[in-house]
Amino acid sequence: MTNKNKRIVLAYLAKPKYGGWATYTCHLYKGLQAAGYEPILVKQGNRTEKMLRDYGRKMRYQNVASNDLINLCKQYPTLIVAVDKHHYDTAQQLIEAGAAITIHDPTELKEPIRTIVLNAPTVVIRESMLTHLPHATYIQHPYQAHTTTPHTERKPAVALSRIDFDKHTDIIIKANSQLTTPIDIYGFMNTVYAHFKLNDIAPNWKDNYYGTFPTDDLWAATHIATNYERVVDMSIIKKDGGGTQYTFLEAANANTHLILHDEWQPTGLLKQYAHTCSTPEQLAELCTTQLPDHTEQAHALLAHHNATTVAKRYATALNW
């Protein structure tokens, strides 16, 4: 059977407009398109709308009522690309109608979703997640690489992750106190974390904060990264790690160095590409020391995550 015009429903059952869920959805969408499929992006709405709404990143989605979502799921292959606590009932109904689901990290495995996915075709995007969901299929993050032109005069370092507890922005703030040229910081801010943690460490930390990046460009973070020699990501997710996050792939796409926390425990191609540290002092040193050229390793990592290739793996694993 040819893939041409074969419709695939991507159901985004979540509210967040920023972060890995939304980025993953866009890259998978583009990979499916390149592989010859016709993906459609839907959200649950109070009613089914004919108009398409702005999803950001130059993509559109349709609001669909729950009953119509179930009918779509019965008619076309469907993947729940993300689900939050507001949509557990809908996720269960779609799974019962034949949908597959992607689980991104262990924090999502709260009840009742943990029990729901045990009876569902499930994809995980980091191999370490198989310890939590042994029945799942591991398929690496899809990433549609974008042509970039690194700036000839680059600043030392930038952080592009959310500003949050699990991202350990506090390590970056502490490192900045030791750096002549501080690490610039972008990303959506958890205001509770910023107020109670970061403000206590350095009340003026926002002097190096440049807000979120525009949502109309899927590669906005990559374009920002081309202005820097290093991308810093101090993520530590409990019971997770080893594989990629989108900031890692965006760093590779911009051909920058990548600095991760030791506790992320990178493996495989990521381990060959990334540098690691665990303390503000070590991070400050990595931001001022000349690092070996990892261009070849960055290209290898991007090739491994090629969105078209990854989309074909979904088609095989989920019998699309």
Side-chain angles (χ1 to χ4, degrees):
M1 176 184 290
T2 178
N3 295 339
K4 185 175 176 58
N5 297 325
K6 184 172 181 181
R7 181 167 291 184
I8 305 293
V9 177
L10 301 180
Y12 189 82
L13 304 182
K15 291 185 176 182
K17 298 178 181 179
Y18 305 98
W21 286 355
T23 305
Y24 160 84
T25 300
C26 292
H27 281 286
L28 181 58
Y29 186 104
K30 290 184 177 297
L32 288 168
Q33 278 187 321
Y37 290 90
E38 182 192 348
I40 61 169
L41 179 58
V42 299
K43 291 186 178 183
Q44 183 181 4
N46 294 325
R47 60 187 179 86
T48 298
E49 300 174 346
K50 292 184 179 180
M51 64 175 288
L52 297 179
R53 294 179 176 266
D54 183 21
Y55 186 73
R57 306 155 190 89
K58 297 181 174 63
M59 288 182 53
R60 313 282 284 177
Y61 74 92
Q62 182 182 10
N63 275 327
V64 180
S66 57
N67 287 341
D68 289 334
L69 265 178
I70 293 168
N71 289 334
L72 270 178
C73 183
K74 291 177 178 178
Q75 189 174 2
Y76 302 108
T78 299
L79 177 67
I80 300 168
V81 288
V83 59
D84 64 17
K85 63 183 180 181
H86 304 286
H87 297 86
Y88 287 162
D89 288 344
T90 302
Q92 181 168 3
Q93 291 172 353
L94 292 185
I95 286 169
E96 290 172 352
I101 186 170
T102 299
I103 299 294
H104 300 258
D105 66 59
T107 63
E108 298 170 38
L109 290 176
K110 301 178 177 70
E111 293 295 353
I113 203 67
R114 177 186 287 273
T115 299
I116 291 171
V117 301
L118 292 178
N119 298 312
T122 305
V123 173
V124 294
I125 45 75
R126 283 193 284 275
E127 197 167 9
S128 58
M129 283 295 296
L130 293 174
T131 61
H132 308 285
L133 297 170
H135 78 287
T137 300
Y138 160 63
I139 304 178
Q140 68 267 39
H141 273 114
Y143 187 83
Q144 183 75 39
H146 188 63
T147 301
T148 61
T149 304
H151 289 240
T152 53
E153 295 185 10
R154 291 176 146 190
K155 296 175 71 175
V158 65
L160 299 169
S161 304
R162 284 181 290 107
I163 297 161
D164 215 332
F165 293 95
D166 61 344
K167 299 300 180 181
H168 289 274
T169 316
D170 50 288
I171 296 175
I172 297 170
I173 300 302
K174 290 174 182 175
N176 274 350
S177 68
Q178 305 171 41
L179 291 167
T180 303
T181 304
I183 301 163
D184 288 341
I185 300 168
Y186 290 80
F188 182 78
M189 185 193 305
N190 179 333
T191 54
V192 173
Y193 171 70
H195 178 75
F196 288 102
K197 185 74 172 180
L198 301 187
N199 290 352
D200 188 54
I201 294 170
N204 64 338
W205 74 271
K206 288 183 183 176
D207 291 349
N208 306 112
Y209 175 57
Y210 294 90
T212 59
F213 17 88
T215 59
D216 62 348
D217 182 3
L218 179 56
W219 296 277
T222 299
H223 292 142
I224 292 170
T226 60
N227 295 291
Y228 296 86
E229 295 177 353
R230 304 162 182 84
V231 168
V232 175
D233 190 322
M234 293 287 100
S235 294
I236 307 171
I237 301 176
K238 189 175 181 180
K239 298 181 180 180
D240 195 15
T244 52
Q245 298 196 80
Y246 274 104
T247 50
F248 308 174
L249 297 168
E250 288 157 351
N253 197 171
N255 196 23
T256 73
H257 295 287
L258 176 64
I259 302 174
L260 305 181
H261 198 286
D262 283 332
E263 290 188 33
W264 187 257
Q265 297 181 338
T267 59
L269 292 170
L270 178 62
K271 183 176 182 179
Q272 297 174 32
Y273 168 49
H275 311 270
T276 63
C277 65
S278 59
T279 68
E281 293 74 21
Q282 291 169 350
L283 175 56
E285 183 177 356
L286 283 174
C287 287
T288 53
T289 303
Q290 185 170 353
L291 301 174
D293 184 8
H294 279 184
T295 299
E296 184 178 337
Q297 290 87 343
H299 290 168
L301 184 66
L302 286 178
H304 181 64
H305 289 269
N306 176 274
T308 306
T309 302
V310 172
K312 291 176 180 177
R313 289 196 63 195
Y314 274 81
T316 299
L318 301 174
N319 297 315
W320 287 348

